[in-house]
Amino acid sequence: MIRRYSYQSLRFLLFLLSCVGPEKFWPTCIVDHSLAEGFSQPDGIGGVMSPMDLHTSFFGHHTSKQSCAHIVNVGKPRPLRVSITDFGAVGDGKTLNTKAFENALQYLHSNADSDGAQLTIPAGRWLTGSINLISHLTLFLENGANILGSEDFNDYPIIPELPSYGRGRELPGARYSSLINGDNLEDVTITGENGTIDGQGGVWWKAFRNKTLDYSRSHVLELIGSQDILIFNLTFQNSPSWTIHPVYCKNVVIKNLTVLNPNDSPNTDGIDPDSSQHVCIEDCYISVGDDAISIKSGWDQYGISYGMPSKHIQIRRIVSASKTFGIHAGVSFGSEMSGGISNVKMGSALQNLTRTWRIH
Ligand SMILES: *[C@@H]1O[C@H](CO)[C@@H](O)[C@H](O)[C@H]1NC(C)=O
Ligand SMILES: *[C@@H]1O[C@H](CO)[C@@H](O)[C@H](O)[C@H]1NC(C)=O
Ligand SMILES: *[C@@H]1O[C@H](CO)[C@@H](O)[C@H](O)[C@H]1NC(C)=O
Ligand SMILES: *[C@@H]1O[C@H](CO)[C@@H](O)[C@H](O)[C@H]1NC(C)=O
Ligand SMILES: *[C@@H]1O[C@H](CO)[C@@H](O)[C@H](O)[C@H]1NC(C)=O
């Protein structure tokens, strides 16, 4: 008992230390009772478990029902629904369906009323380049649906650098758009019956390693300046770099996801809330090549002058087999938190490696 208590105290202390970091722009980590969850080692986790075992052990038998998912109001079912097949898409894994996605979203944008619309993706392998979502949308991946990112970089338009970074993350200047993008949206749900969104990142990792990229790598999902976002009950995999990147967003719930990037894939963080506020991440299994979750807020003088912190972030019941599960404290990635980070609450967070919190 005493040993266990000391172990928890040590981890608690380490977490507090991580809150004061070297950056003067990192004001506070407010710690509440939900934090205590994060420092008790649940029984029965250990040895080799499959993602499903871990899912079951958490979603099946976990007693704590505490949840932050209410910060997004999901509203009524969407009255207008179409399938991607209505727009000529072919789910053979070879036909490029970018145009079908564009036409479907354009149609929904023009025809939906204020309750919005649903784009359904049935079982199949739907290859596409970069797509741009619309407001008041549910993107629904049925059982067996796979959205596959094109392996041709030309299918990802070049977009401007983020103002809080002042450059691409890896190279100066502009950057590749993501597979799925949302810019200045509200009321968007991305969900389904455990469908998969697959960035097919292999070509990106190769090009990154052999230094043949002209611009910074893409993400599987990037939402910029958007609010009331729910990402739920899906699998994201093989991201070119960070997998899910909400930046300048508000009211974001990321729940019951599986995120799978190979352990040796470069910089493939799971979820990176960046200069975002009121973010709830819970009940996820994350096995990636870098941080499971990394909270950010811009880079150097750009992050400081943009001045948008990440705050009111809640994280609980995360199972991670990633290299690190942590909050970057600015040193290893330069200062991708120059806009500040405050009020982060951590619930049960586990990983399969010795180092749970990454402290710089
Ligand atoms: C989540 O996905 C599972 C399939 O993995 C499905 O059975 C379940 O109904 C989905 N949940 C919701 C709320 O749609
Ligand atoms: C969900 O999909 C992932 C990846 O395909 C798979 O590992 C997992 O077993 C699936 N879960 C369910 C309940 O089908
Ligand atoms: C670098 O990687 C890209 C993407 O996989 C590949 O097309 C290209 O041939 C590689 N170039 C060299 C010099 O290895
Ligand atoms: C969460 O995801 C798992 C795995 O896909 C699924 O079996 C379960 O039904 C999901 N939970 C809810 C509430 O949908
Ligand atoms: C946990 O780590 C062990 C040893 O590194 C590995 O064999 C196992 O697959 C990992 N479990 C998960 C769920 O990733």
Side-chain angles (χ1 to χ4, degrees):
M1 255 345 254
I2 286 169
R3 266 183 57 196
R4 187 178 166 125
Y5 178 76
S6 316
Y7 177 61
Q8 288 175 26
S9 305
L10 177 62
R11 300 218 321 197
F12 183 78
L13 180 67
L14 288 177
F15 177 72
L16 286 182
L17 281 176
S18 77
C19 295
V20 292
E23 295 282 323
K24 64 176 185 243
F25 287 95
W26 194 359
T28 51
C29 282
I30 294 174
V31 173
D32 79 349
H33 119 101
S34 68
L35 177 66
E37 285 178 71
F39 300 91
S40 54
Q41 200 78 39
D43 300 321
I45 301 289
V48 179
M49 297 181 93
S50 71
M52 266 331 292
D53 290 338
L54 291 168
H55 261 305
T56 309
S57 67
F58 269 77
F59 305 138
H61 315 301
H62 203 276
T63 49
S64 168
K65 289 281 184 288
Q66 202 176 15
S67 170
C68 44
H70 62 270
I71 65 170
V72 169
N73 177 9
V74 176
K76 288 179 256 174
R78 309 293 191 185
L80 175 62
R81 295 182 178 202
V82 296
S83 165
I84 191 67
T85 54
D86 300 337
F87 294 83
V90 181
D92 61 0
K94 295 187 191 116
T95 308
L96 190 68
N97 294 300
T98 317
K99 204 75 206 156
F101 274 98
E102 247 171 56
N103 291 341
L105 291 163
Q106 186 56 49
Y107 172 84
L108 296 177
H109 185 60
S110 311
N111 291 281
D113 67 18
S114 60
D115 287 329
Q118 174 169 310
L119 175 58
T120 303
I121 314 299
R125 293 167 57 76
W126 310 94
L127 183 71
T128 181
S130 181
I131 58 180
N132 294 300
L133 302 182
I134 57 172
S135 289
H136 311 293
L137 176 77
T138 296
L139 179 65
F140 192 93
L141 284 79
E142 288 181 346
N143 194 9
N146 290 273
I147 294 179
L148 305 177
S150 165
E151 295 178 287
D152 182 347
F153 301 151
N154 294 318
D155 293 326
Y156 299 82
I158 307 305
I159 56 172
E161 61 273 27
L162 292 164
S164 57
Y165 283 77
R167 50 166 291 162
R169 209 184 74 85
E170 294 157 353
L171 293 161
R175 58 205 187 101
Y176 283 106
S177 52
S178 295
L179 175 56
I180 299 178
N181 303 271
D183 195 348
N184 208 8
L185 304 183
E186 57 181 345
D187 177 24
V188 174
T189 296
I190 304 174
T191 188
E193 302 159 330
N194 197 28
T196 299
I197 305 180
D198 185 337
Q200 304 208 95
V203 287
W204 295 93
W205 308 327
K206 228 182 265 164
F208 173 74
R209 291 196 176 106
N210 73 20
K211 300 192 164 54
T212 52
L213 282 172
D214 294 329
Y215 303 97
S216 297
R217 280 176 287 165
S218 170
H219 310 287
V220 170
L221 172 64
E222 182 173 73
L223 297 162
I224 305 177
S226 298
Q227 58 180 358
D228 299 311
I229 306 296
L230 172 63
I231 306 166
F232 172 65
N233 214 23
L234 293 173
T235 297
F236 284 72
Q237 64 189 28
N238 299 321
S239 182
S241 67
W242 305 344
T243 311
I244 298 177
H245 185 215
V247 56
Y248 322 138
C249 288
K250 204 168 76 182
N251 299 350
V252 180
V253 174
I254 299 176
K255 189 174 164 76
N256 211 20
L257 293 195
T258 303
V259 184
L260 306 171
N261 298 321
N263 255 304
D264 61 354
S265 53
N267 316 106
T268 55
D269 286 0
I271 303 169
D272 294 60
D274 195 347
S275 294
S276 287
Q277 305 176 2
H278 301 285
V279 179
C280 166
I281 305 174
E282 58 189 26
D283 300 319
C284 295
Y285 175 84
I286 305 177
S287 174
V288 293
D290 205 328
D291 288 345
I293 297 173
S294 182
I295 302 172
K296 301 181 184 294
S297 61
W299 187 74
D300 274 11
Q301 76 268 30
Y302 300 101
I304 292 169
S305 65
Y306 199 71
M308 191 180 285
S310 275
K311 59 183 183 186
H312 312 304
I313 311 244
Q314 298 195 45
I315 300 172
R316 59 168 62 81
R317 296 186 301 270
I318 304 299
V319 178
S320 166
S322 308
K323 273 195 199 149
T324 59
F325 176 96
I327 302 171
H328 271 124
V331 176
S332 78
F333 274 20
S335 322
E336 288 168 333
M337 43 161 289
S338 306
I341 295 177
S342 69
N343 193 2
V344 177
K345 297 176 183 174
M346 301 285 239
S348 316
L350 288 173
Q351 73 176 132
N352 192 19
L353 290 172
T354 46
R355 193 163 61 162
T356 303
W357 313 109
R358 177 144 146 175
I359 295 165
H360 301 273

